[in-house]
Amino acid sequence: MPSGLTPTTRPLRLLLLSHAFNSLTQRLFVELRARGHEVSVELDIADGVTEEAVAMFAPDVVIAPFLKRRIPATVWQRVPCLVVHPGVVGDRGPAALDRAILRGDTHWGVTVLQAVDDFDAGPVWASVNFPMRAAPKGSLYRQEVTEAATQAVLRALQRIADGKQPQDPGPTRWWPAVPPAERAIDWAQDDSATVLRKIRSADGHPGLQTRLFGQDCRVFDAHPVTTRPAPAAFADFRPGQAMARRGPALLCRTVDGAVWIGHVRPEGPTPQPASLLPLKLPATEVFRVQAAALPELPVPLHRASAAGQDDWDELRYEESGPQGARVGQLHFAFHNGAMSTRQCERLRDALRLARGRDTQVLVLLGGEDFFSNGIHLNAIEAAAAHDGDSAADASWRNIEAMNDVVLEILTMDDRLTVAALRGNAGAGGVFLALAADEVWAHPGVVLNPHYRNMGNLHGSEYWTYVLPRRAGAGRAQAIVQGRLPLGARQAAELGLVDACFGSVGEGFLREVRSRAGELALHNASSRVRAKLARRAADEAHRPLAAYRADELAQMHRNFYGFDPSYHVARYHFVHKLAHAWTPRHLAVHR
Ligand code: COA
């Protein structure tokens, strides 16, 4: 039994000690609070600060979901500290997932260990394994690892409460960080599968180093090519060369085919042109001039997922069900859920296409990892480096385009709309979902329905209409001012989510399709009549244009006014500057 704990089922005082309040930390925050525990957060800034937080909060247990440094001995010797390691029992080191992907492991896991002097070397409180998926590291982290870690932490706390002891991990192996040379792409040798595996093992951090158009960069967001260009077209290019473009991505030749590379972060001392910022951006924007000279290889928006037709693009529309009870499904898998002006315009056009189809229900599916995270802060930051443009102007264009998307959904008056959240949503991305008639999510989804963390941004996306109409005016204010993440179940209690079911992955999508089919078959026409009546009454009470105008007047002040908080916060966010303190609304002990 760790010192200071007696067997108990009482609510515990739990301190989440984390490098950042990232998706996993947020998921644990909502799950633990939902179980009645008292939870506070301290970002890992310095040993002295951690010691102070522990002294102030006097936690029963410290939980470390995501740390880059050791927990000070003065803390783990006094309080039991549970460290979440994204690796199986016996695995140790900072690149656990990277290496599992590189090795091509078919199964992986998460282990909750008690902190001791050595990294990942303590006794084991719980572990949960899962089958691996062919996906980027970040996606595995947000889905499989987060699910397994949540289960493992809950199990570990239960074992502590039951007075059990942690177990010896048995033989362990330390794996160091992956040196760049170990996973560098050898374009002359590596086949497409190898190139994909290497890129995915480093995506989103640190990104795989390579060169494109002679520029040092890190690449992300790689996708296989299923519809290949004619082999003759390949022959003219060397492996590693870009051959075509689509949306944000470049089609890069490999020895046996090609891969799409969607996002790039330029690096090195002398980027060309000098206006290139070290930010993760669409590949076609980083290499704007070179990409413009490449042929575009479009793919129809409306395409099935059957082999050969499901060639990658950010957007895809498909339909299912019999005539009269037909369901349209719109996927918009924007990288990291960030939606630039270009992406908003594409989505708006796709919604218009979907509207022209004979369906009774339209399901908005977002992406697998994120439904949406609102306007594209990296693209906005990058715009400031272009002559004649500014971050304020780019923010303005982006929010207008985002609002046009939301308006398209709000005014879809001839069918039911469903936002089905397969992944998390933040800021404007949440209100985009709330514009739909129904919002469905699985219990692992975390929502951040507020803007103020981004330099006190007021926000738009018609949130002043869609949030109070679901949650009521009082609760709406509490939600946006509270600035806390909400689990899907909690969001359902507050009226933001209509149905919470299934679990992360394909199972949720299957159930969404089946429920949408039922909706189209049984309820669609009467529900559409009811929504038309409500929309007309709402419009008579206050037009949508008035909500938009008022929100945008506030946003104008955020973008162009004398208070630069939004611009400062965005700069910190996109350049990932280290936190200097823990925000008060998270560190309740302070
Ligand atoms: N624009 C650009 N990039 C964004 C983004 C946005 N709106 N939202 C998230 N991202 C990026 C992050 O920079 C990160 O990039 P990385 O792959 O280089 O690490 C990635 O998406 C994942 O985000 P992260 O913050 O690590 O995810 P999280 O699950 O821990 O946190 C949020 C989710 C939504 C709380 C957080 O990303 C956030 O606050 N985003 C900004 C939301 C916002 O203010 N939007 C603008 C107003 S509408």
Side-chain angles (χ1 to χ4, degrees):
M1 168 75 50
S3 60
L5 262 183
T6 46
T8 175
T9 50
R10 73 186 157 85
L12 297 169
R13 289 169 72 79
L14 302 173
L15 182 69
L16 293 175
L17 175 66
S18 194
H19 175 73
F21 195 46
N22 71 341
S23 53
L24 172 56
T25 314
Q26 294 185 22
R27 174 73 186 281
L28 290 173
F29 179 84
V30 301
E31 295 284 354
L32 295 169
R33 281 183 13 136
R35 283 163 180 77
H37 298 298
E38 201 177 328
V39 184
S40 192
V41 179
E42 186 69 36
L43 300 180
D44 180 34
I45 289 157
D47 288 355
V49 181
T50 303
E51 285 162 2
E52 186 184 71
V54 170
M56 288 170 98
F57 189 54
D60 296 308
V61 179
V62 172
I63 301 172
F66 166 46
L67 277 189
K68 294 193 172 177
R69 309 176 326 124
R70 233 179 275 264
I71 300 175
T74 46
V75 169
W76 63 257
Q77 284 170 351
R78 269 186 46 215
V79 187
C81 295
L82 303 183
V83 176
V84 178
H85 174 67
V88 291
V89 174
D91 176 88
R92 296 172 55 208
L97 256 183
D98 308 43
R99 289 190 176 276
I101 296 170
L102 282 172
R103 285 190 303 260
D105 289 355
T106 56
H107 284 75
W108 198 235
V110 171
T111 307
V112 173
L113 310 121
Q114 181 148 341
V116 292
D117 222 358
D118 250 2
F119 270 119
D120 310 328
V124 172
W125 278 104
S127 65
V128 173
N129 289 355
F130 53 82
M132 286 286 265
R133 186 166 49 94
K137 176 172 70 162
S139 179
L140 290 163
Y141 185 83
R142 289 185 189 104
Q143 297 191 31
E144 285 83 349
V145 169
T146 297
E147 282 304 316
T150 306
Q151 282 178 37
V153 165
L154 294 175
R155 222 176 267 176
L157 290 175
Q158 188 59 54
R159 283 171 51 80
I160 290 175
D162 292 346
K164 301 231 168 81
Q165 293 295 324
Q167 286 169 351
D168 188 279
T172 65
R173 175 153 185 196
W174 174 263
W175 294 88
V178 184
E182 199 177 314
R183 59 178 157 195
I185 300 175
D186 180 350
W187 288 105
Q189 296 288 332
D190 291 343
D191 60 12
S192 302
T194 308
V195 170
L196 274 176
R197 198 168 59 245
K198 287 180 172 177
I199 296 177
R200 285 173 165 171
S201 77
D203 188 355
H205 293 277
L208 198 75
Q209 282 177 315
T210 190
R211 281 171 85 80
L212 287 174
F213 300 110
Q215 166 70 48
D216 288 326
C217 56
R218 290 185 187 255
V219 291
F220 311 84
D221 186 27
H223 302 270
V225 173
T226 47
T227 310
R228 293 165 182 232
F234 278 73
D236 297 338
F237 294 88
R238 284 190 321 279
Q241 265 191 311
M243 305 187 285
R245 65 189 159 89
R246 174 182 300 160
L250 296 171
L251 183 67
C252 293
R253 171 89 155 95
T254 60
V255 285
D256 64 338
V259 294
W260 289 108
I261 294 183
H263 279 70
V264 168
R265 190 174 72 230
E267 59 175 17
T270 51
Q272 284 304 323
S275 61
L276 278 184
L277 297 180
L279 290 176
K280 193 183 286 185
L281 288 166
T284 47
E285 277 170 38
V286 170
F287 300 113
R288 200 183 272 220
V289 175
Q290 299 90 327
L294 296 174
E296 191 179 358
L297 213 63
V299 68
L301 174 70
H302 189 167
R303 60 195 194 279
S305 57
Q309 288 193 64
D310 183 19
D311 206 0
W312 173 83
D313 193 5
E314 295 172 306
L315 289 149
R316 183 163 69 83
Y317 177 77
E318 60 184 329
E319 283 177 11
S320 58
Q323 205 180 2
R326 220 158 153 68
V327 177
Q329 295 154 55
L330 184 57
H331 303 250
F332 44 101
F334 299 129
H335 186 61
N336 281 340
M339 291 172 55
S340 67
T341 303
R342 174 190 66 79
Q343 288 163 320
C344 290
E345 288 169 356
R346 281 192 88 190
L347 179 54
R348 179 205 57 203
D349 293 347
L351 285 163
R352 288 180 181 163
L353 178 136
R355 193 176 196 155
R357 304 283 309 171
D358 181 17
T359 61
Q360 283 58 56
V361 173
L362 174 64
V363 184
L364 308 171
L365 281 163
E368 261 185 271
D369 291 332
F370 293 103
F371 181 79
S372 165
N373 281 328
I375 56 175
H376 199 310
L377 300 168
N378 290 25
I380 289 168
E381 193 68 29
H386 293 139
D387 279 348
D389 206 349
S390 72
D393 287 350
S395 302
W396 188 257
R397 290 194 301 271
N398 203 162
I399 197 65
E400 287 274 23
M402 192 77 189
N403 282 352
D404 289 345
V405 170
V406 178
L407 185 62
E408 205 64 41
I409 300 167
L410 283 171
T411 55
M412 204 162 284
D413 53 12
D414 57 350
R415 72 201 72 204
L416 288 179
T417 53
V418 176
L421 276 62
R422 296 183 286 168
N424 298 348
V430 179
F431 303 107
L432 168 70
L434 300 196
D437 302 317
E438 293 257 337
V439 180
W440 299 346
H442 61 78
V445 165
V446 173
L447 304 178
N448 275 284
H450 45 79
Y451 300 89
R452 294 199 173 273
N453 288 343
M454 196 54 63
N456 258 340
L457 199 62
H458 178 269
S460 191
E461 287 102 357
Y462 298 87
W463 77 264
T464 53
Y465 172 62
V466 297
L467 185 60
R469 86 172 168 165
R470 283 182 157 268
R475 272 182 180 172
Q477 276 310 316
I479 290 167
V480 293
Q481 277 164 12
R483 297 190 283 157
L484 290 176
L486 294 177
R489 285 202 189 93
Q490 198 186 353
E493 282 160 20
L494 293 168
L496 275 62
V497 165
D498 299 288
C500 186
F501 54 84
S503 61
V504 66
E506 276 298 308
F508 177 69
L509 193 55
R510 267 196 305 278
E511 197 165 341
V512 164
R513 288 185 170 132
S514 141
R515 284 180 181 233
E518 287 294 307
L519 198 58
L521 196 59
H522 298 300
N523 284 324
S525 47
S526 61
R527 293 273 312 270
V528 168
R529 279 195 300 279
K531 94 159 170 174
L532 271 175
R534 177 165 185 200
R535 183 78 279 288
D538 286 355
E539 189 69 16
H541 176 67
R542 187 161 189 240
L544 284 176
Y547 290 96
R548 181 167 176 155
D550 278 3
E551 290 170 3
L552 287 179
Q554 302 268 6
M555 289 294 258
H556 197 273
R557 274 195 279 281
N558 291 142
F559 297 158
Y560 296 99
F562 67 88
D563 176 358
S565 300
Y566 155 71
H567 296 291
V568 173
R570 190 195 60 246
Y571 182 86
H572 279 244
F573 180 81
V574 303
H575 290 290
K576 303 190 189 304
L577 302 189
H579 297 279
W581 66 84
T582 309
R584 280 286 178 82
H585 66 283
L586 300 177
V588 295
H589 52 279
R590 291 195 177 271

